[in-house]
Amino acid sequence: MNIILKIAKNERRHLFFSPIAWFVILVFLVQCAVLYTNPVFDAANWQDIMLKNNPSFKGFNRSLTSQIFVKMGLFSNVINNLYLFIPVLTMGLISRDVNSGAYKLLYSSPVSLRQIVLGKYLGIMMYNLLLVAILCIFMIIGMFNIMYVDYGMLLSAALGFYLLICAYSAIGLFMSSLTSYQVVSGLSTFAIIFILSRIGGLWQRYDLVRDLTYFLSLQNRIWKMLGGLIVSRDVFYFIIIACMFVGFTIFRLKAGREARPWYVRASRYIALMTAALLIGYTTSRPMLTAYFDTTANHRNTLPEPMQKIMKDFGDSTLEVTLYTNLLDETLSRGLPESRNVDYMDVMWEPYLRFKPDMKFKYVYYYDKNLEGADSNFRKQFSPGTSLKKMAEDAVEVIDADLSMFKTPEEMHKFIDLKPEGYRLVIQVKYKGRTDFLRTFNDPFFWPDLYNVSAAFMRLQQPSQIPKVYAVTGELERNIYKTGDREYALHTAYKWSRGALVNTGYDVDTLNLATQDIPADATTLLLADPKMELSPVARDKLSAYINAGGNILVTGMPGKQYVLNPVLQQLGVQLMNGQLVESTYDETPDKVVAYATENAGGLDKELSGLKKGLEINGDTMKILMPGTTALRYNNDSAFDIKPLLMTVPGRTWLKGGSLVIDSTLPPFNPGEGDIREHSFTTGVQLTRRARQKDQRLIVCGNADFISNMRMGTNISIVTPIYSWLTYNKFPIYMPRPDPKDVLLRIGEAGAAAQKIVYVWILPGLVLLAAAILLIRRKRK
């Protein structure tokens, strides 16, 4: 060991007397200084502006540690450029001694090749610590610049950086042993790093080699550690890669001293690589993978409610099947080539951490609904083209074998995916019960935490699934249509991420003229009926309400006479007329309501609403185009509270007809116009009935939760249904807000800091290097 340390010290001494090593230090320092000070200056400048204009500014809405050091910040950019530095440092580690003849002396000395190689590698590892120290300078500065900096994330990122450069150095060491030309060695190192960064995408279609090549890949190995999550398989990967290339170096130098057949020498490399692959494959298995989330708020870990759901599966098998359709536009996300890097890594790894024995299956097929929405797909082919012919053309495009895809006839024997639109879909199965996780046409694509938690809870507690029935028969809003005024996007549309069917609910329609209200109904939806309800329908609704049933009622101006007979027993009435609001940009029917403090009790997500109608960032705006006001009786059997109210002094109730395509109509009491301080547009009603809490919500507008307004008002839609179904779904997944949202430094300080670290500090390092090298040359 002493000999190895002596060789390491000698190698380190040589590096410090080398202009190349000092050049790397100088360039690396300048790069780090620029990448750190620029985002700090931008954030400080913006913070000063915000504090001047808004003294109540409490910080940015994101973690500054992550923003400055990870996301397009210091560590991520340094690592992207790291391949430019390491080949320059390692290209002469061995070839330099070969060219100078020093190895002849080493071969004749009582020093083994293993000691020589290990000593040189240890020397470059010591030099790598200097690069980490430069990063630590800016980490320490960040600790002073950022309030409540996330120390764990910084330490994890530093560990990942060091493991990466040590792996790169081992590759460079081996390349240096292959040739006496340093330039060739440097270029070869760059080539090997490039290959290892891309090998994870090779041969991913073949089950036998998919996991092995993915293990060898450098791609995405470092990013989890940069984000504060240390994964044991990534740590093992860097150690195994470093050991493998150090071993290759020993074999290469030993081959120069031995007269052995080529197959004996080759067998050494093959044996070592095989051992490395086996160890890497074993340590990357989910059952043997350990995780350590170093972040302050555990941002890389599933929230505790989700952890409990995963724990409740116990030792029972959770089967997950991905169905991929050859003729679907999302085909690429489900192919074997995307399995490791996308489907498993992005979608399932957070859950595998808490249930590593999940069983995954993959089914590939071809089928297509050639009617309605899929007619554009059909037009790509000539009339009469069969599905098989379409499939044959499709496999030619992706260079696959049609035999890997099941035919429609084979699929129909065990599952019917037509209700799922033959899209890329995931089926989860537990104790014989199944549910679907759907994919969506948004940037994330895969089901998110709320979708997964809802599906898993439905599997574990099938008797607790809330059931929402939409009343039909009198031209109510339709939960299956996607038109502007309909209700599909937040109820039954399967390809809307936030729809009730994707967040835990069962949704169906109910015609009261011909059907009774099911006993298992959790809540009813009566949405803007256009015709008067029949006596049979009114009687059923009245009996349902008297029995303690929950209901959401939405109406519209001009149809008050339809709903008021039903609402009379509640002590609520829709006022005649329509609310108007004077605004510069919109027509007068576009009324903006604000959620009252009572809305904070709908679910825990809204618990932070401020009391009263404060018009600020903490108050929720609800756009209600074409709404009427509500009157309610405080002597009702229900406890009635305002849920949505208009802005004080901005609205009045127009009694006569309203024309919205001209100037604002004048306030005219003679026509029945009413002006009040504020109007109520939504109320919640509660009482104790049949040993349970009865919950009802009535709104004077139906358009605010229509398909057209979902993007604007989604923040109130989900809590309404959650409250009506006793907050079973969506499952509340709280995550602590980041604390590192403010800087201690202002714009002036950041500018001065930029001058010091970008210009003065590198200048001092350059001066020190020049003095040292000149003195060395004189000696």
Side-chain angles (χ1 to χ4, degrees):
M1 187 63 187
N2 288 333
I3 295 176
I4 293 175
L5 289 175
K6 289 180 180 180
I7 295 174
K9 290 178 181 178
N10 182 70
E11 192 65 35
R12 183 192 60 188
R13 188 183 308 112
H14 181 85
L15 283 171
F16 277 103
F17 289 130
S18 166
I20 291 179
W22 282 103
F23 174 77
V24 169
I25 290 174
L26 184 62
V27 174
F28 188 78
L29 175 60
V30 172
Q31 176 187 233
C32 291
V34 171
L35 293 174
Y36 173 78
T37 57
N38 280 345
V40 168
F41 177 82
D42 293 340
N45 188 27
W46 184 249
Q47 178 174 293
D48 285 352
I49 294 173
M50 293 298 296
L51 289 173
K52 289 177 183 178
N53 297 325
N54 182 14
S56 62
F57 176 69
K58 297 180 181 179
F60 300 96
N61 59 357
R62 60 187 182 275
S63 166
L64 290 178
T65 307
S66 175
Q67 191 70 24
I68 293 173
F69 284 95
V70 180
K71 294 180 179 178
M72 302 304 293
L74 177 59
F75 277 101
S76 58
N77 283 283
V78 164
I79 285 173
N80 285 334
N81 299 327
L82 192 60
Y83 68 92
L84 300 173
F85 297 100
I86 299 303
V88 174
L89 288 172
T90 60
M91 64 184 183
L93 283 177
I94 293 178
S95 59
R96 179 184 62 246
D97 292 336
V98 172
N99 291 332
S100 65
Y103 262 98
K104 294 180 180 179
L105 296 176
L106 288 173
Y107 287 163
S108 62
S109 66
V111 179
S112 67
L113 287 176
R114 179 181 60 84
Q115 291 173 322
I116 295 172
V117 173
L118 292 179
K120 285 186 168 291
Y121 184 63
L122 183 59
I124 195 65
M125 288 179 67
M126 292 179 180
Y127 180 87
N128 291 340
L129 287 174
L130 182 60
L131 300 181
V132 175
I134 293 174
L135 283 174
C136 287
I137 293 174
F138 296 98
M139 290 167 55
I140 294 172
I141 296 168
M143 294 176 186
F144 287 100
N145 289 163
I146 303 172
M147 296 180 63
Y148 305 108
V149 70
D150 195 336
Y151 301 98
M153 183 184 294
L154 295 180
L155 294 175
S156 174
L159 173 63
F161 174 81
Y162 184 65
L163 290 174
L164 181 63
I165 57 176
C166 287
Y168 281 3
S169 299
I171 296 171
L173 179 68
F174 175 58
M175 292 297 106
S176 180
S177 69
L178 294 178
T179 177
S180 60
Y181 297 99
Q182 296 188 20
V183 175
V184 175
S185 172
L187 292 175
S188 301
T189 302
F190 172 80
I192 293 297
I193 292 174
F194 177 82
I195 291 172
L196 288 179
S197 298
R198 298 294 184 270
I199 196 173
L202 299 178
W203 308 302
Q204 290 295 290
R205 187 171 296 175
Y206 308 102
D207 295 336
L208 181 62
V209 296
R210 180 185 302 109
D211 290 336
L212 295 179
T213 56
Y214 185 70
F215 166 74
L216 282 175
S217 176
L218 276 167
Q219 189 178 11
N220 298 326
R221 287 289 179 182
I222 192 65
W223 301 112
K224 289 185 178 66
M225 277 192 265
L226 293 189
L229 180 64
I230 300 175
V231 185
S232 63
R233 69 164 177 267
D234 293 336
V235 176
F236 276 115
Y237 169 81
F238 289 116
I239 295 174
I240 291 170
I241 289 295
C243 291
M244 184 175 71
F245 278 98
V246 169
F248 286 170
T249 306
I250 295 174
F251 294 159
R252 174 67 183 88
L253 296 179
K254 184 179 290 187
R257 301 179 61 181
E258 297 177 341
R260 295 290 183 92
W262 66 269
Y263 53 85
V264 174
R265 297 195 298 269
S267 64
R268 293 172 177 171
Y269 292 97
I270 294 173
L272 179 56
M273 178 176 288
T274 302
L277 288 174
L278 289 176
I279 296 172
Y281 180 82
T282 302
T283 56
S284 65
R285 295 303 85 197
M287 295 291 291
L288 300 176
T289 302
Y291 299 83
F292 180 38
D293 190 350
T294 64
T295 56
N297 59 353
H298 297 288
R299 54 181 291 182
N300 301 304
T301 303
L302 293 177
E304 291 187 5
M306 190 69 230
Q307 294 182 36
K308 182 180 182 303
I309 293 173
M310 302 305 295
K311 183 179 179 181
D312 288 344
F313 282 115
D315 296 329
S316 300
T317 301
L318 176 61
E319 186 178 291
V320 181
T321 305
L322 178 67
Y323 290 95
T324 303
N325 184 4
L326 173 64
L327 304 181
D328 183 51
E329 61 183 6
T330 59
L331 168 67
S332 62
R333 305 297 291 268
L335 287 175
E337 292 88 339
S338 301
R339 186 177 301 176
N340 283 330
V341 71
D342 187 7
Y343 179 63
M344 294 301 298
D345 196 38
V346 175
M347 172 66 205
W348 286 114
E349 183 167 15
Y351 306 95
L352 281 168
R353 176 179 174 183
F354 296 96
K355 186 169 178 56
D357 59 346
M358 294 169 65
K359 186 177 180 181
F360 292 92
K361 294 183 177 181
Y362 305 89
V363 177
Y364 301 95
Y365 71 101
Y366 65 89
D367 207 338
K368 200 71 177 179
N369 180 9
L370 300 180
E371 301 174 358
D374 291 319
S375 60
N376 289 332
F377 175 85
R378 185 68 179 84
K379 292 177 181 178
Q380 298 177 26
F381 300 89
S382 59
T385 304
S386 65
L387 276 175
K388 186 174 182 180
K389 174 59 177 173
M390 297 179 192
E392 290 172 349
D393 292 344
V395 293
E396 287 186 11
V397 174
I398 64 172
D399 191 25
D401 190 343
L402 187 60
S403 62
M404 71 179 285
F405 296 91
K406 295 182 181 298
T407 65
E409 293 75 22
E410 291 174 324
M411 289 293 294
H412 295 165
K413 291 179 181 179
F414 64 92
I415 191 171
D416 180 16
L417 293 177
K418 185 175 181 179
E420 299 300 321
Y422 301 113
R423 286 172 57 92
L424 186 71
V425 68
I426 303 168
Q427 185 188 61
V428 288
K429 185 176 182 180
Y430 172 68
K431 292 185 176 180
R433 298 185 289 271
T434 62
D435 207 343
F436 282 107
L437 288 168
R438 301 174 180 94
T439 56
F440 308 99
N441 295 327
D442 58 28
F444 183 64
F445 182 76
W446 299 109
D448 62 18
L449 189 64
Y450 293 99
N451 304 133
V452 175
S453 63
F456 285 177
M457 283 294 291
R458 287 167 62 90
L459 293 178
Q460 293 177 358
Q461 302 177 13
S463 62
Q464 301 297 315
I465 298 173
K467 295 177 174 57
V468 179
Y469 290 91
V471 176
T472 63
E474 277 76 29
L475 302 180
E476 293 88 351
R477 304 295 175 101
N478 194 298
I479 64 170
Y480 298 113
K481 293 183 178 179
T482 57
D484 287 349
R485 68 182 301 272
E486 311 300 347
Y487 277 18
L489 293 187
H490 79 269
T491 55
Y493 189 63
K494 294 180 179 180
W495 302 282
S496 173
R497 184 181 296 278
L500 297 180
V501 293
N502 290 318
T503 52
Y505 304 81
D506 280 345
V507 180
D508 204 349
T509 55
L510 180 69
N511 190 327
L512 294 180
T514 58
Q515 297 173 279
D516 292 329
I517 299 175
D520 63 352
T522 311
T523 188
L524 293 186
L525 169 63
L526 181 58
D528 186 26
K530 295 300 182 185
M531 301 188 299
E532 290 188 62
L533 301 178
S534 66
V536 172
R538 285 202 302 268
D539 290 344
K540 289 181 179 179
L541 284 173
S542 178
Y544 172 77
I545 293 173
N546 289 334
N550 300 346
I551 189 170
L552 168 62
V553 181
T554 61
M556 289 294 287
K559 296 295 180 180
Q560 290 91 333
Y561 67 92
V562 176
L563 286 176
N564 278 341
V566 177
L567 299 177
Q568 186 174 4
Q569 72 182 102
L570 307 180
V572 179
Q573 291 285 280
L574 302 177
M575 297 178 66
N576 290 325
Q578 179 173 342
L579 289 174
V580 296
E581 180 175 348
S582 174
T583 61
Y584 179 79
D585 295 303
E586 290 288 359
T587 54
D589 63 316
K590 303 295 192 305
V591 175
V592 175
Y594 287 84
T596 68
E597 60 180 302
N598 299 315
L602 293 178
D603 73 355
K604 294 181 180 179
E605 294 286 352
L606 299 183
S607 60
L609 281 177
K610 285 185 176 290
K611 295 182 178 181
L613 295 177
E614 302 177 27
I615 306 173
N616 55 39
D618 296 318
T619 306
M620 184 185 299
K621 295 181 180 180
I622 307 297
L623 178 61
M624 306 186 78
T627 183
T628 188
L630 303 178
R631 289 279 192 207
Y632 55 91
N633 185 359
N634 290 323
D635 296 330
S636 168
F638 294 88
D639 180 17
I640 306 177
K641 296 179 181 179
L643 191 67
L644 304 172
M645 298 187 71
T646 61
V647 182
R650 290 191 184 179
T651 57
W652 73 84
L653 186 68
K654 182 66 178 175
S657 60
L658 175 64
V659 179
I660 63 173
D661 59 353
S662 60
T663 59
L664 179 71
F667 177 74
N668 189 348
E671 295 183 357
D673 293 0
I674 300 174
R675 189 186 295 275
E676 294 183 0
H677 178 68
S678 180
F679 290 91
T680 301
T681 58
V683 295
Q684 60 178 162
L685 303 89
T686 56
R687 70 173 177 179
R688 191 72 181 171
R690 305 286 179 94
Q691 288 79 47
K692 70 172 185 176
D693 291 331
Q694 184 179 9
R695 300 179 175 184
L696 306 91
I697 289 180
V698 180
C699 297
N701 178 251
D703 283 339
F704 83 105
I705 57 174
S706 67
N707 295 334
M708 185 177 183
R709 303 297 174 185
M710 272 297 295
T712 304
N713 298 328
I714 184 62
S715 55
I716 193 68
V717 176
T718 301
I720 284 176
Y721 284 100
S722 178
W723 184 74
L724 289 170
T725 55
Y726 304 102
N727 302 111
K728 293 178 181 177
F729 293 105
I731 298 170
Y732 183 51
M733 301 283 184
R735 285 189 183 274
D737 293 329
K739 294 182 178 180
D740 52 335
V741 295
L742 277 174
L743 292 173
R744 290 192 179 97
I745 191 172
E747 184 267 343
Q753 184 175 262
K754 190 172 184 179
I755 294 173
V756 171
Y757 297 121
V758 175
W759 299 103
I760 297 178
L761 183 59
L764 294 176
V765 172
L766 178 61
L767 180 62
I771 294 174
L772 181 64
L773 293 175
I774 291 173
R775 293 184 61 184
R776 170 68 176 176
K777 187 176 181 180
R778 287 178 178 177
K779 291 183 179 180

